[in-house]
């Protein structure tokens, strides 16, 4: 029975003079102060980024005449060679075709589902875009339509891919792959969408034996590792809601991974499988339930960013 | 924050509660860490803000104003009592910025329900606040204590946080000193503006707090997250004060609770409630002592308020 009260602390993040961005790419302000985990320059809408014309402007910026590159969102400035963009702190997910997303069913209609994908509009999953149970590829029948809730009902979590866009900007999803479909055996956590980087694959297994599915829309599923072998999967069970038995140590590991991801998102650090593993290792010295405390989150993220810089320097 | 949950998540949470490892690693009776600050709104007689973990954020402002005593229609005995008392008027607003489910008119019912609970507790016999001391001129004028709670962020467990923040705000509240003089048959009230002469609300330390116990499966948890709240079958709200006395109890939800589990839950609620009050009081005294010592030394004491604090 743990009860703890705290007074708020002053945030130590220092804001950097953004006008200092000059052409010297090597002289980038590596302002790695003890408390600043990543050299991050935060800007607000309307703030000048640079007046230097040699830079190209990316997302989140606009040119205010005559030649001032100004930020249009509140977020962190990112520079890749000559391209400057601003990554917003809080934003809705805007998808690209081929993105992997995790969504929750909000509505069931005649031949389609509406899916919440943390975007400005609900995504659409049509009955013709899912794999019907029975293993064999078959045409959907009227019976399938009538039993639509047998596949996905309201509240179900699923992993899908963005197939196309409708005229109004809503995403059209599909789960036509054995990797996609209903999610089970784990726990759900949500982070700001810009933190999830695009990688080759979004299904990761961490060294501790926990599966992490990173949705590009900021929804993440942490689950027990299920060893899949093609022939043994019961084709009728792909829409089952039944969880497997999860033992205590796995459950604790899942909680630990969830808390590590939460710590990374609190400090606005990028999330991919390597960084999650670093955070998981850093968290091992604390008890699981303490991982949500602000000072421990700070400690973990500092260790993670130290490892990241070592990795960049080629040491790790 | 979701208002829907999938059957497999529900099952995962249920089994987690059984094995005492919840989704975020807490045990069944572990509270999230609470960050609080008092005295952040200068226009109020008292204020406090509490944040539970990185989630539920509640701001409470207390304002004391002189108002008329209304007896209207109460029978003789009760009317007599009412004539010598002040009043507490509570309101709760769940701001739409807290969660999408509070957008538009959807939160109205919920706001009224929460305000009613607060009202019943503070105006009732176990409310703690000494209402008689709030009377200025019997039958005519009294202090009215307006308690306004604003929910700024939602991550489960709103009611407990509101009560804890209210208690902190009442600790912070100062009632200006008054003196009553008779002048040609008319009673006149003089209010002293001197801040140092203002008094604490008598009975603030007897103000109770709430502990919500959620029944999931055959066990119960406190301080539920939104997904855990969606998995709850039945809830018991325990209002308990410093001495461990039960000041109120309310059951909500569609599920049922066996009598033995019920007494177990009440007992848990009382123990946890008392501990919370003890730890809260210690921290409130500590914060005030720090502020006073800085003031005595002539140092600047900055309230972090909304923008500075993490």
């Amino acid at each position: 029975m743990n009860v703890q009260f705290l007074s708020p602390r002053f945030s130590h993040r220092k804001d950097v003079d953004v006008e200092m961005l000059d052409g010297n790419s090597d002289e980038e302000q590596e302002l790695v102060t003890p408390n600043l985990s990543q050299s991050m320059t935060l800007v607000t809408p309307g703030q000048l980024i640079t007046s230097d014309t040699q830079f190209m402007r990316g997302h989140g910026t606009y040119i205010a005449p005559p030649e001032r590159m100004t930020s249009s969102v509140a977020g962190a400035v990112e520079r890749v060679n000559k391209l400057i963009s601003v990554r917003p702190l809080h934003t809705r997910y805007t998808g690209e075709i081929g993105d992997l997303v995790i969504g929750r069913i909000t509505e069931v209609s005649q031949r389609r589902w509406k899916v919440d994908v943390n975007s400005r509009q609900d995504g659409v999953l049509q009955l013709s875009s899912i794999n019907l149970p029975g293993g064999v590829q078959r045409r959907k029948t009227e019976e399938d339509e009538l039993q639509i809730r047998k596949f996905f009902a309201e509240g179900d979590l699923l992993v899908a891919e963005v197939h196309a866009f409708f005229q109004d900007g809503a995403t059209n999803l599909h789960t036509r792959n054995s990797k996609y479909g209903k999610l089970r055996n784990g726990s759900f956590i949500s982070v700001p969408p810009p933190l999830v980087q695009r990688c080759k694959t979004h299904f990761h297994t961490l060294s501790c034996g926990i599966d992490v599915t990173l949705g590009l829309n900021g929804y993440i599923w942490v689950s027990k590792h299920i060893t899949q072998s093609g022939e043994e999967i019961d084709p009728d069970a792909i829409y089952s809601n039944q969880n497997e038995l999860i033992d205590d140590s796995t459950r604790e590991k899942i909680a630990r991974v969830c808390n590590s991801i939460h710590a990374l998102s609190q400090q606005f650090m990028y999330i991919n499988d390597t960084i999650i593993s670093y955070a998981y290792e850093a968290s091992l010295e604390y008890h699981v339930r303490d991982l949500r405390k602000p000072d421990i989150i700070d400690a973990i993220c500092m260790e993670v960013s130290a490892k990241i810089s070592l990795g960049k320097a080629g040491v790790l | 924050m979701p208002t829907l949950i999938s059957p497999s998540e529900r099952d995962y949470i249920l089994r987690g509660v059984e094995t005492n490892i919840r989704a975020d690693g807490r045990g069944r009776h572990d509270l999230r860490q609470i960050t609080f600050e008092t005295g952040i709104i200068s226009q109020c007689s008292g204020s406090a803000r509490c944040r539970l973990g990185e989630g539920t954020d509640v701001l409470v402002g207390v304002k004391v104003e002189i108002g008329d005593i209304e007896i209207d229609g109460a029978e003789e005995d009760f009317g007599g009592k009412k004539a010598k008392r002040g009043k507490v008027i509570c309101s709760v607003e769940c701001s739409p910025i807290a969660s999408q489910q509070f957008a538009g008119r959807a939160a109205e019912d919920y706001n009224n329900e929460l305000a009613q609970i607060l009202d019943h507790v503070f105006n009732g016999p176990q409310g703690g606040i000494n209402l008689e001391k709030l009377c200025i001129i019997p039958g005519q004028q009294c202090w009215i204590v307006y308690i306004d709670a604003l929910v700024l962020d939602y991550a489960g467990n709103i009611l407990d946080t509101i009560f804890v923040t209210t208690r902190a705000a009442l600790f912070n509240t100062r009632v200006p000193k008054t003196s009553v003089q008779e002048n040609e048959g008319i009673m006149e009230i003089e209010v002293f503006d001197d801040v140092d002469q203002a008094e604490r609300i008598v009975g603030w330390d007897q103000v109770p707090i709430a502990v919500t116990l959620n029944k999931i499966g055959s066990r119960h948890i406190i301080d539920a997250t939104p997904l855990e709240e969606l998995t709850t079958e039945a809830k018991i709200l325990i209002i308990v004060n410093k001495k461990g006395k039960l000041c109120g109890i309310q059951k909500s939800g569609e599920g049922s609770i066996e009598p033995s589990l019920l007494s177990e839950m009440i007992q848990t609620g009382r123990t946890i409630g008392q501990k919370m009050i003890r730890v809260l009081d210690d921290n409130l005294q500590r914060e005030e002592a720090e502020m006073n010592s800085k003031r005595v030394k002539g140092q600047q004491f900055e309230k972090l308020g909304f923008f500075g604090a993490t």
Side-chain angles (χ1 to χ4, degrees), chain A residues 1 16 69 81 113 115 148 226 228 252 270 274 298 305 316:
Chain A
M1 207 178 305
V16 171
M69 190 189 302
N81 298 328
W113 294 273
V115 186
I148 193 170
I226 309 291
Q228 285 201 337
E252 202 185 305
Y270 275 124
T274 337
D298 271 349
S305 52
L316 266 178

Side-chain angles (χ1 to χ4, degrees), chain B residues 289-300:
Chain B
E290 268 174 25
M291 187 175 76
N292 285 337
S293 79
K294 283 202 174 159
R295 195 185 286 161
V296 160
K297 290 185 205 163
Q299 283 171 1
Q300 259 284 343

Side-chain angles (χ1 to χ4, degrees), chain B residues 239-308:
Chain B
I239 317 267
V240 63
N241 69 8
K242 192 162 79 164
K243 299 197 187 111
K245 287 223 159 31
L246 206 54
C247 307
I249 175 170
Q250 177 179 330
K251 181 221 171 258
S252 48
E254 296 159 350
S256 56
I257 306 180
E258 308 93 339
S260 53
L261 183 60
L262 180 64
S263 22
E264 198 187 307
M265 285 167 87
I266 294 179
Q267 203 41 46
T268 317
R270 284 175 62 203
T271 329
I272 294 181
Q274 276 186 285
K275 185 162 182 189
M276 274 172 75
I277 291 182
R278 224 177 19 247
V279 179
L280 173 63
D281 283 355
D282 287 342
N283 280 288
L284 285 172
Q285 313 277 16
R286 175 185 56 81
E287 197 198 15
E288 198 174 73
E290 268 174 25
M291 187 175 76
N292 285 337
S293 79
K294 283 202 174 159
R295 195 185 286 161
V296 160
K297 290 185 205 163
Q299 283 171 1
Q300 259 284 343
F301 185 79
E302 232 179 46
K303 287 284 176 190
L304 286 177
F306 301 93
F307 299 113

Side-chain angles (χ1 to χ4, degrees), chain A residues 67-199:
Chain A
E67 282 162 4
R68 300 155 59 90
M69 190 189 302
T70 330
S71 166
S72 59
V73 291
V77 177
E78 289 188 334
R79 191 167 73 81
V80 179
N81 298 328
K82 294 272 189 225
L83 177 70
I84 295 183
S85 58
V86 183
R87 180 172 35 117
L89 285 172
H90 283 291
T91 183
R92 292 270 177 187
Y93 166 68
T94 34
E96 307 287 328
I97 296 181
D99 276 357
L100 184 138
V101 294
I102 292 182
R104 196 184 282 276
I105 306 283
T106 52
E107 259 177 57
V108 180
S109 319
Q110 215 180 4
R111 271 190 287 265
R112 63 183 64 177
W113 294 273
K114 286 279 176 125
V115 186
D116 164 37
V117 287
N118 205 15
S119 181
R120 293 182 190 91
Q121 280 181 315
D122 280 348
V124 174
L125 177 67
Q126 289 170 324
L127 184 56
S128 48
S129 309
I130 66 168
N131 275 339
L132 298 164
V136 181
Q137 298 283 355
R138 59 182 177 84
R139 286 182 74 87
K140 64 174 169 61
T141 60
E142 276 194 6
E143 213 182 88
D144 291 324
E145 248 179 76
L146 293 170
Q147 296 191 325
I148 193 170
R149 275 195 179 76
K150 206 173 56 159
F151 307 128
F152 294 115
E154 285 92 339
D156 279 344
L157 274 177
L158 50 87
V159 55
E161 193 181 288
V162 176
H163 179 54
F165 285 100
F166 288 107
Q167 283 264 352
D168 56 359
T171 46
N172 192 1
L173 305 169
H174 78 89
T175 58
R176 279 205 175 283
N177 194 320
S178 54
K179 292 186 299 182
Y180 303 149
K182 205 179 269 202
L183 291 168
R184 57 185 83 85
N185 296 322
S187 186
F188 171 79
I189 178 170
S190 168
V191 302
L195 296 181
V196 184
Q197 291 176 314
R198 283 199 168 81
C199 328

Side-chain angles (χ1 to χ4, degrees), chain B residues 117-136:
Chain B
I117 297 178
L118 283 179
D119 235 6
H120 280 157
V121 170
F122 293 126
N123 279 316
Q126 307 273 27
I129 303 176
N130 193 329
L131 294 173
E132 269 87 27
K133 294 269 175 158
L134 293 176
C135 177
I136 309 175

Side-chain angles (χ1 to χ4, degrees), chain B residues 152-172:
Chain B
L152 296 166
D153 200 358
Y154 172 69
N157 205 19
I158 286 188
L159 199 52
D160 297 7
T161 321
I162 293 182
F163 267 93
V164 162
T165 324
T166 310
R167 191 188 158 92
L170 286 169
F171 168 81
N172 183 248

